[in-house]
Amino acid sequence: VWCQAQSGSRSYGPVFEEQPSHTLFPEGSAEEKVTLACRARANPPATYRRGRGSTEIPPAVFFPSGFDSACSVLQEFSAEERDPVKITEGWGVMFTCSPPPHYPGLSYRWLLNEFPNFIPADGRRFISQTTGNLYIAKTEASDLGNYSCFATSHIDFITKSVFSKFSRLSLAAEDARQFPPSIKARFPADTYALTGQVVTLECFAFGNPVPRIKWRKLDGPQSSKWIGSEPLLQIQHAGFEDEGTYECEAENAKGRDTHQGRIIIHAQPDWLDVISDTEADIGSDLRWSCVASGKPRPTVRWLRDGLPLTSQNRIEVRGGELRFSKLVQEDSGMYQCVAENKHGTIYASAELTVQALAPDFRLNPVKRLIPAARSGKVIIPCQPRAAPKATVLWTKGTELLVNSSRVTITADGTLILQNISKSDEGKYTCFAENPLGKANSTGILSVRDATKITLAPSSADINVGENLTLQCHASHDPTMDLTFTWSLDDFPIDFDKSEGHYRRASAKEAIGDLSISNAQLRHSGRYTCTAQTVVDSASESATLTVRGPPGPPGGVVVRDIGDTSVQLSWSRGFDNHSPIARYLIEARTLLSSQWKQMRTNPVNIEGNAETAQVVNLIPWMDYEFRVLASNILGIGEPSLPSSKIRTKEAAPTVAPSGLGGGGGAPNELIITWTPTLRDYQNGDGFGYIVSFRRKGSQAWLRAQVPHAESLHFVYRNESIAPYTPFEVKIKAYNRKGEGPESLTAIVYSAEEEPKAAPYRVIAKSVLSSEMDVSWEPVEQGEVTGVLLGYEIRYWKDGDKEEAADRVRTAGLVTSAHVTGLNPNTIYHVSVRAYNRAGTGPPSPSTNVTTTRPPPKRPPGNISWSFSGSTVSIKWDPVVAKADESAVTGYKMLYRQDSHSAPTLYLASKSQIDIPIPEDFTHAFVQIRVTGPGGDGTPAEVHILRNSGTSMMVEDSGTRPAPHAVVITANSLLLVALISSLEL
């Protein structure tokens, strides 16, 4: 579909602002029409023509859906039944999708037995998004079932899916034998793609075991744009650098298979050089050029006012070049160059306006007042609008000017006067003439005093971080404004973007000093001060040298790689105007990102050196190196890191640490150590050699334990008696040899459970939920090993001992306190000794009955009265019930305020006197019963003293005090307020 816009008598021709674009119309959409936009800017407004192919469409025609767009189509799968598939279990199988007619492309999934049980993509199964076929590399029993291909079309927000008839897979059981890969899903021999597109190659193989898929580019490096692996290779935003031959390799334990193919990148046309709107003089020549890139190479053709343009008379068309000879006004119009290849078409448009004008100065007159500096130079343009180009003459007053040593009239009519003096002042007139007419324009030249630098900047040397002022003073014509500008190495200095390093040192007009603060190395260079008026300028320069630490050395190369040393070389960096005194070498390993200074040979690397040996390195370690230079002003920036290298392997030089052991099952010797860190392994094939013997014997037994992460060795022998001392030592080994042995350690074989039991076990109830247990210890000689402590077992009368609760002590203590018991309950208690091998035999059990619990009811009817420096607190006595322990007294916690520490008072009766300070205002009191069963439930009260009212001491024996409050059993805190009305 095309659209053409045309303008009549115009100020400018049509320029498209919106053009038709490719449109895909979904089949079955509720929309009944497609809109293709076409809009152009023109003056006067443009008229439009539309067409499809070479056929013009009248404006009144309605475009039905499908006429001027491509329709998406997805038909149903064939209704024919699909053949069943039978194959031996363990072999590969492929199901063909055979999708129905469709446009555009589809995405594919497969159903197993029923919707929506979709088959997942994994290494064993693969669904080609090119053909829709399902591949299973190695069938398994779980693959039995019915398979259906599920195809989906996606257009904008509309999705349509169809699925095929089911095909049944049956498996014949057989011992699955292994077989090498065979690639079944192959990408084409040639894959074409456009630049910027995503390129996808598919590759999948049958095999047992399931093959792994690897990709490589045979004629170039792997691109960073590769995404994914295994069956798919995707290249994002493909470019010409991605062209080449690609190989897919399928490999398993039985063999390999490969497949190769090429990716060929094409490109749509893209403009490199286009035409633009042009105004040209009548009778002149014009050359236009359009250049486009693309693959295949685009062809270029030309249109004038929408019609094909070919060579004729004064017009020559040669590919992307269009030439006009002796333009005429009829050549004016809209021109287009069209570049196209099989992948697309692009347009570039421009308007050609051929002008025929008599000379006219109205747009560009000669400047009315022309100032010029004495002894300087002035340039006076003469640029009338004229077509064809006008002939120009200049006069001063009535004198015709011609070229001389001081006067130059250029080819374009510009007048240049040099070495100006006062006598050059006056009126200067430019006369312009062409075949269509004449015109002139006059300006007055005024001569002014020249601008001069009176105090020029001086060259200087400073160190990094120092400050400096470069001076610059000037004289000038007093009738004109003077400005100063500074440049560094011919680049203007922008004071607003200098991060505070540059500023003007004076506000006086004739002083342009430049202040430099906290100078950096980048501030070195040639500074130029320019004093300027509208008629002339004067400049002076000076050189600033900023000295600083050296720049980074370059080209760090590692060679002569040994196990503990390498040879390093580098190239000299900038000394930044201060001689390099010495070099430092730093390195980092794969174990740490931190750079550390290394030891070198020679120890001190002189400033004129460019090589040194790095020593004391760790064998079999990955290193990166960098070099830093220093001078009297400091250490400079480091070089870029060298390439990563690995030092050569060497035998271990350090014995493993943390040698110990013990414990385990009977007849075992367990030896343990701390695994050796990567820093000290020195080579591949790392492991440990453990040597051991019974203490006092002569012959050593040796055991080799592979792997660096190993941390123990177990030696089993029926002849090993419990808790036998062994002498043990250890050393490391790798492919290069064995390292030094550790010091000898004593390790005991597995212990035996204690043979004797504690005796004289006594259990005594302490509270309703606690008891104390004591016993006589076992003799140390009755324990084969180290006695770790005792285990107390206790269980309720009527329960079995197997259900006993347990408490363990540590060390040689012979008593324990047990909590968490039930009140008024009979418990059986026994004690055992234990070590690392387990627990010994039990002691004879003893019985204990816990006391009854304390009364649950808290003290009630709490009252108080004040007498001088004492507060007397009373409450009703608590009487224990039959199932509660007796009350032997009361405990009271007294606290002056919520932040102070509480004080404990004991009372044998239901009354207590508490001393109080003179400034007493309030207190918190908590009262509870106590007895053999422990402490009861507390009652709490907040005692307040009436402020501003005198207190009377009353006999509280017959009734509560006036300010008393009764506490209920469930109260936690009640505040007694003393009301003045009650008093």
Side-chain angles (χ1 to χ4, degrees):
V1 179
W2 51 265
C3 174
Q4 185 182 63
Q6 197 167 12
S7 176
S9 175
R10 52 185 169 67
S11 297
Y12 59 87
V15 177
F16 278 112
E17 293 184 328
E18 191 173 4
Q19 303 183 51
S21 59
H22 297 303
T23 302
L24 191 61
F25 184 79
E27 183 185 43
S29 171
E31 291 288 331
E32 296 183 351
K33 64 179 180 179
V34 179
T35 301
L36 299 175
C38 179
R39 184 166 55 87
R41 170 170 45 86
N43 187 22
T47 59
Y48 295 86
R49 294 189 301 124
R50 301 170 178 83
R52 181 185 183 194
S54 59
T55 304
E56 186 169 343
I57 301 171
V61 172
F62 169 72
F63 300 150
S65 64
F67 177 75
D68 43 352
S69 66
C71 287
S72 69
V73 176
L74 175 57
Q75 298 182 9
E76 296 292 332
F77 274 94
S78 169
E80 293 184 9
E81 296 294 331
R82 298 205 168 194
D83 294 333
V85 177
K86 185 171 184 180
I87 195 169
T88 301
E89 183 178 341
W91 289 89
V93 67
M94 179 191 78
F95 288 93
T96 303
C97 179
S98 301
H102 59 275
Y103 180 83
L106 304 174
S107 63
Y108 299 95
R109 292 183 288 175
W110 279 78
L111 295 169
L112 178 58
N113 294 329
E114 61 183 356
F115 181 87
N117 185 21
F118 290 106
I119 294 174
D122 52 29
R124 191 173 64 87
R125 294 171 290 191
F126 171 64
I127 300 171
S128 169
Q129 296 303 310
T130 302
T131 63
N133 297 342
L134 167 65
Y135 298 84
I136 304 177
K138 184 191 75 157
T139 52
E140 297 176 352
S142 60
D143 295 324
L144 283 171
N146 299 304
Y147 290 79
S148 172
C149 181
F150 190 89
T152 303
S153 171
H154 303 273
I155 304 296
D156 293 332
F157 300 106
I158 298 177
T159 299
K160 180 180 180 181
S161 299
V162 295
F163 58 91
S164 70
K165 292 284 187 178
F166 282 88
S167 176
R168 181 162 185 79
L169 173 63
S170 302
L171 298 178
E174 185 179 293
D175 290 339
R177 67 178 184 85
Q178 295 187 342
F179 59 94
S182 176
I183 295 177
K184 298 298 182 183
R186 298 168 175 260
F187 54 95
D190 290 327
T191 299
Y192 291 88
L194 293 178
T195 55
Q197 289 184 336
V198 177
V199 181
T200 302
L201 303 183
E202 297 181 339
C203 180
F204 191 76
F206 294 171
N208 185 8
V210 175
R212 284 189 60 98
I213 305 295
K214 297 179 182 178
W215 294 90
R216 65 176 62 90
K217 187 179 182 185
L218 299 181
D219 46 8
Q222 175 177 325
S223 170
S224 61
K225 296 181 288 184
W226 288 18
I227 290 182
S229 58
E230 296 293 322
L232 293 180
L233 169 64
Q234 281 193 339
I235 303 176
Q236 301 288 317
H237 307 293
F240 290 112
E241 71 277 6
D242 297 310
E243 277 197 333
T245 301
Y246 290 77
E247 181 182 80
C248 154
E249 178 188 83
E251 184 177 17
N252 66 11
K254 301 299 291 181
R256 60 191 290 269
D257 190 15
T258 61
H259 173 68
Q260 297 177 3
R262 292 190 306 156
I263 292 180
I264 301 168
I265 304 296
H266 280 188
Q268 296 175 330
D270 189 28
W271 289 120
L272 300 176
D273 187 20
V274 295
I275 54 178
S276 58
D277 291 344
T278 302
E279 293 181 350
D281 293 347
I282 190 169
S284 64
D285 297 334
L286 176 65
R287 173 184 171 275
W288 264 349
S289 176
C290 280
V291 182
S293 63
K295 185 179 179 183
R297 183 186 296 276
T299 59
V300 179
R301 54 190 175 88
W302 291 83
L303 305 176
R304 179 169 65 188
D305 295 331
L307 300 176
L309 180 64
T310 56
S311 296
Q312 51 185 291
N313 299 329
R314 300 169 297 96
I315 301 175
E316 180 184 2
V317 178
R318 184 182 300 172
E321 192 171 274
L322 175 61
R323 292 178 180 270
F324 296 88
S325 300
K326 298 182 179 177
L327 286 166
V328 298
Q329 285 189 304
E330 288 75 15
D331 293 326
S332 297
M334 293 300 299
Y335 289 80
Q336 291 174 292
C337 51
V338 185
E340 54 192 344
N341 64 14
K342 65 181 182 180
H343 301 299
T345 303
I346 54 176
Y347 294 81
S349 303
E351 182 177 13
L352 172 62
T353 303
V354 179
Q355 297 180 328
L357 302 169
D360 186 351
F361 281 99
R362 284 177 294 180
L363 292 180
N364 290 303
V366 174
K367 192 174 180 181
R368 182 67 62 188
L369 178 62
I370 308 166
R374 193 188 307 274
S375 302
K377 177 174 76 172
V378 68
I379 300 174
I380 311 174
C382 179
Q383 298 173 327
R385 190 179 182 194
K389 185 178 179 180
T391 303
V392 171
L393 296 174
W394 280 93
T395 63
K396 179 190 176 189
T398 57
E399 175 189 0
L400 180 65
L401 299 177
V402 296
N403 286 335
S404 66
S405 59
R406 294 180 56 248
V407 178
T408 302
I409 301 174
T410 64
D412 66 354
T414 299
L415 173 63
I416 302 175
L417 302 178
Q418 303 195 59
N419 195 20
I420 292 174
S421 63
K422 199 69 174 175
S423 61
D424 291 319
E425 287 188 328
K427 292 184 178 181
Y428 289 80
T429 302
C430 174
F431 293 89
E433 181 179 359
N434 72 4
L436 300 178
K438 301 178 181 179
N440 64 76
S441 181
T442 300
I444 299 174
L445 179 67
S446 173
V447 178
R448 312 291 175 87
D449 291 339
T451 302
K452 296 179 180 179
I453 299 292
T454 58
L455 179 59
S458 301
S459 296
D461 286 10
I462 60 173
N463 295 331
V464 167
E466 294 182 346
N467 303 328
L468 175 72
T469 297
L470 295 176
Q471 295 181 308
C472 185
H473 299 184
S475 63
H476 66 294
D477 190 294
T479 63
M480 310 188 76
D481 292 332
L482 177 69
T483 59
F484 287 91
T485 60
W486 285 86
S487 64
L488 173 58
D489 295 330
D490 298 326
F491 288 96
I493 294 175
D494 187 335
F495 289 85
D496 294 332
K497 297 181 180 179
S498 70
E499 299 176 346
H501 291 291
Y502 296 122
R503 64 179 180 83
R504 300 190 185 277
S506 174
K508 296 182 179 178
E509 185 184 31
I511 299 176
D513 294 353
L514 173 66
S515 177
I516 305 174
S517 302
N518 189 21
Q520 302 298 307
L521 293 172
R522 66 180 181 274
H523 297 141
S524 293
R526 181 172 172 268
Y527 285 81
T528 300
C529 170
T530 301
Q532 188 170 12
T533 65
V534 295
V535 297
D536 70 338
S537 63
S539 299
E540 291 290 346
S541 299
T543 299
L544 174 63
T545 301
V546 180
R547 305 184 188 279
V556 178
V557 176
V558 186
R559 54 185 175 83
D560 299 342
I561 300 171
D563 54 0
T564 60
S565 66
V566 298
Q567 192 71 28
L568 228 60
S569 61
W570 59 88
S571 59
R572 184 182 180 87
F574 292 111
D575 64 7
N576 291 331
H577 314 295
S578 179
I580 296 174
R582 60 190 294 250
Y583 287 98
L584 303 174
I585 295 177
E586 294 181 338
R588 66 181 176 189
T589 69
L590 59 77
L591 304 175
S592 173
S593 60
Q594 297 295 318
W595 290 94
K596 296 181 180 178
Q597 186 173 339
M598 306 304 292
R599 294 188 179 183
T600 59
N601 181 19
V603 175
N604 294 316
I605 307 171
E606 300 296 333
N608 57 357
E610 294 186 5
T611 183
Q613 186 183 43
V614 185
V615 297
N616 287 13
L617 300 178
I618 300 172
W620 196 57
M621 183 61 66
D622 293 334
Y623 280 99
E624 289 178 297
F625 299 93
R626 68 182 187 182
V627 182
L628 302 89
S630 66
N631 58 20
I632 60 173
L633 298 174
I635 299 175
E637 294 180 9
S639 67
L640 292 175
S642 69
S643 299
K644 188 176 294 183
I645 63 98
R646 175 171 289 185
T647 51
K648 292 184 177 180
E649 297 179 71
T653 56
V654 176
S657 62
L659 185 60
N667 309 120
E668 282 187 352
L669 172 67
I670 297 180
I671 303 170
T672 61
W673 60 89
T674 302
T676 299
L677 298 177
R678 173 69 175 80
D679 311 46
Y680 305 106
Q681 293 174 16
N682 288 9
D684 202 2
F686 187 86
Y688 305 91
I689 297 174
V690 180
S691 301
F692 54 95
R693 66 184 179 186
R694 283 186 176 86
K695 188 175 182 181
S697 63
Q698 297 299 317
W700 289 90
L701 298 176
R702 280 167 54 103
Q704 186 167 305
V705 184
H707 309 306
E709 60 272 17
S710 299
L711 46 72
H712 76 282
F713 168 72
V714 180
Y715 173 63
R716 295 180 180 87
N717 193 303
E718 296 295 330
S719 66
I720 300 178
Y723 206 59
T724 300
F726 279 80
E727 293 179 304
V728 176
K729 55 187 178 180
I730 188 172
K731 61 183 174 181
Y733 73 90
N734 61 22
R735 293 192 305 190
K736 287 294 184 179
E738 298 178 1
E741 281 190 318
S742 68
L743 296 175
T744 301
I746 300 298
V747 176
Y748 287 84
S749 63
E751 302 174 28
E752 193 175 41
E753 297 94 339
K755 298 298 184 183
Y759 59 99
R760 292 183 186 169
V761 175
I762 299 173
K764 181 181 179 182
S765 175
V766 180
L767 298 173
S768 61
S769 61
E770 300 176 12
M771 67 178 173
D772 286 332
V773 181
S774 62
W775 57 91
E776 291 296 329
V778 298
E779 297 296 332
Q780 184 63 42
E782 297 175 310
V783 179
T784 308
V786 178
L787 178 64
L788 297 181
Y790 294 89
E791 180 178 278
I792 299 93
R793 299 188 184 184
Y794 54 97
W795 62 99
K796 298 177 186 176
D797 188 37
D799 290 349
K800 293 183 178 181
E801 184 178 353
E802 290 75 13
D805 290 317
R806 305 181 185 196
V807 173
R808 279 193 168 187
T809 67
L812 303 180
V813 297
T814 58
S815 64
H817 185 71
V818 180
T819 61
L821 305 178
N822 291 338
N824 198 23
T825 303
I826 299 174
Y827 280 91
H828 300 279
V829 182
S830 70
V831 182
R832 303 168 185 243
Y834 74 91
N835 61 11
R836 283 197 289 185
T839 55
S843 69
S845 64
T846 187
N847 299 334
V848 63
T849 301
T850 55
T851 60
R852 287 171 293 178
K856 295 180 181 179
R857 184 170 60 87
N861 291 330
I862 300 174
S863 62
W864 61 90
S865 61
F866 294 94
S867 175
S869 60
T870 302
V871 60
S872 179
I873 304 173
K874 295 182 179 181
W875 57 90
D876 290 348
V878 176
V879 179
K881 297 180 180 179
D883 60 347
E884 295 176 337
S885 62
V887 176
T888 59
Y890 298 88
K891 289 182 179 179
M892 185 177 77
L893 279 179
Y894 176 89
R895 193 168 70 242
Q896 192 71 38
D897 55 51
S898 59
H899 301 293
S900 62
T903 302
L904 176 64
Y905 291 92
L906 299 177
S908 58
K909 299 180 179 181
S910 59
Q911 185 263 336
I912 193 170
D913 294 331
I914 303 295
I916 57 174
E918 292 183 4
D919 58 350
F920 175 90
T921 59
H922 69 100
F924 297 93
V925 172
Q926 187 182 87
I927 306 172
R928 71 183 78 202
V929 301
T930 185
D935 296 339
T937 305
E940 297 188 28
V941 66
H942 187 185
I943 298 175
L944 297 174
R945 165 173 272 180
N946 188 0
S947 59
T949 304
S950 62
M951 302 298 298
M952 295 179 64
V953 178
E954 297 188 16
D955 180 8
S956 59
T958 57
R959 62 180 179 89
H963 46 280
V965 65
V966 177
I967 308 298
T968 64
N970 295 325
S971 299
L972 293 179
L973 174 64
L974 293 177
V975 179
L977 299 177
I978 304 173
S979 169
S980 60
L981 292 176
E982 292 177 343
L983 296 175

